[in-house]
Amino acid sequence: MDIRIFDSSRELAFFAADIFAELIRKKPDCVLGLATGATPLETYARLITLYEEGGLDFSQVRTFNLDEYLGLPVTDPNSYRYFMDSNFFSKVNIAPENTHVPDGNAADAEQMCSEYDRSIQASGGIDLQLLGIGRNAHIAFNEPGSDFSAGTHTVRLTESTIEANRIYFTESEMPRFAVTMGIGSIMKAKKILLLAVGDKKAQAVRDTVKGPVTPEVPASVLQNHPDCLILCDKAAASLL
Ligand code: F6R
């Protein structure tokens, strides 16, 4: 696992966006694994700028998002499908049918999960997976104690994740369940790019990079990935 530390989240985002841009130029129909949350927003903004400047074509790009709340309508601004459409997909020339977010309203959630993994495989697999990290080192909704071999599955959210996300749920009710790519699905990505910004992530970054590989620190599994790059700002790297 490689680590790069940046003076600001803006520099980090420009660097991350360049990695995406280089891949898209080299492989126009590449498969991207995408994340929601506050951390990747600057990277998405930079990718949108590169697109607007004419330097990037998303017309053949395919995407698979990591996770989604269960039971939240896609029209709810807190749904991850809404987040991706409004913050990224609607602002570049990606084909809507090439964007995939787990369906949090599927009648049969188990079937939807196995179909999600099958469609990732059928696409040829994820070329570049973007990850954020939780304060407890969760990746996607894989909380401490998660099975390293799991595929896409449904989870009950932990109190710490509910607490961290509560700020977003001023009007709609905070969901208690979600669907997430499992650590097994994430580890199949050819390359992984994890972004960590701010001092609240410092302990998680330290445990991920310097601690033992253990399900208690879900992101520590990335030590076993052959091509994982962690980008941190100074605050997130302050305990390294
Ligand atoms: C989002 C996701 C989550 C976030 C993590 C960090 O798709 O999978 O694991 O990456 O909770 O969230 P932020 O970036 O808001 O600090």
Side-chain angles (χ1 to χ4, degrees):
M1 135 196 296
D2 288 325
I3 303 163
R4 290 193 64 137
I5 300 167
F6 297 84
D7 284 338
S8 68
S9 63
R10 182 183 153 86
E11 284 169 63
L12 181 156
F14 273 49
F15 190 90
D18 280 347
I19 293 176
F20 277 94
E22 201 180 310
L23 172 64
I24 294 166
R25 288 182 193 122
K26 203 168 81 189
K27 186 178 178 187
D29 65 345
C30 62
V31 180
L32 306 179
L34 298 179
T36 59
T39 313
L41 280 174
E42 274 185 288
T43 301
Y44 293 147
R46 176 65 185 155
L47 284 169
I48 292 163
T49 303
L50 291 175
Y51 162 72
E52 287 169 348
E53 289 172 356
L56 215 43
D57 175 16
F58 287 86
S59 60
Q60 296 177 64
V61 169
R62 294 161 295 160
T63 66
F64 288 87
N65 261 79
L66 285 169
D67 43 14
E68 177 62 286
Y69 290 113
L70 274 188
L72 210 57
V74 292
T75 49
D76 189 307
N78 288 306
S79 85
Y80 287 174
R81 163 53 79 179
Y82 189 100
F83 176 102
M84 291 307 299
D85 285 347
S86 54
N87 289 303
F88 190 37
F89 297 150
S90 65
K91 300 186 174 173
V92 296
N93 67 331
I94 197 162
E97 63 273 21
N98 285 348
T99 69
H100 304 88
V101 179
D103 179 2
N105 292 288
D108 185 338
E110 295 312 312
Q111 191 189 336
M112 184 276 298
C113 289
S114 34
E115 275 168 15
Y116 201 69
D117 282 330
R118 270 200 298 276
S119 46
I120 293 172
Q121 268 177 1
S123 75
I126 291 172
D127 293 299
L128 177 59
Q129 175 67 58
L130 183 65
L131 295 178
I133 185 168
R135 292 176 213 177
N136 61 1
H138 70 230
I139 46 176
F141 275 125
N142 297 288
E143 302 286 0
S146 294
D147 177 357
F148 279 174
S149 64
T152 301
H153 61 289
T154 58
V155 288
R156 187 185 181 93
L157 302 182
T158 62
E159 281 310 315
S160 74
T161 296
I162 290 171
E163 217 32 66
N165 289 356
R166 201 178 290 285
I167 45 165
Y168 301 114
F169 286 87
T170 44
E171 282 166 28
S172 46
E173 203 178 323
M174 174 78 211
R176 301 271 154 178
F177 293 90
V179 52
T180 184
M181 266 192 217
I183 290 178
S185 341
I186 292 170
M187 288 294 279
K188 284 189 187 141
K190 290 160 204 158
K191 182 178 180 71
I192 294 181
L193 188 61
L194 183 143
L195 312 184
V197 169
D199 58 356
K200 291 193 173 69
K201 304 295 173 68
Q203 188 64 47
V205 168
R206 184 189 163 80
D207 293 344
T208 296
V209 174
K210 298 231 158 147
V213 176
T214 164
E216 291 317 309
V217 180
S220 67
V221 73
L222 300 173
Q223 290 182 31
N224 294 337
H225 194 279
D227 189 2
C228 174
L229 177 59
I230 299 187
L231 307 184
C232 298
D233 71 348
K234 278 188 168 162
S238 58
L239 298 178
L240 289 179

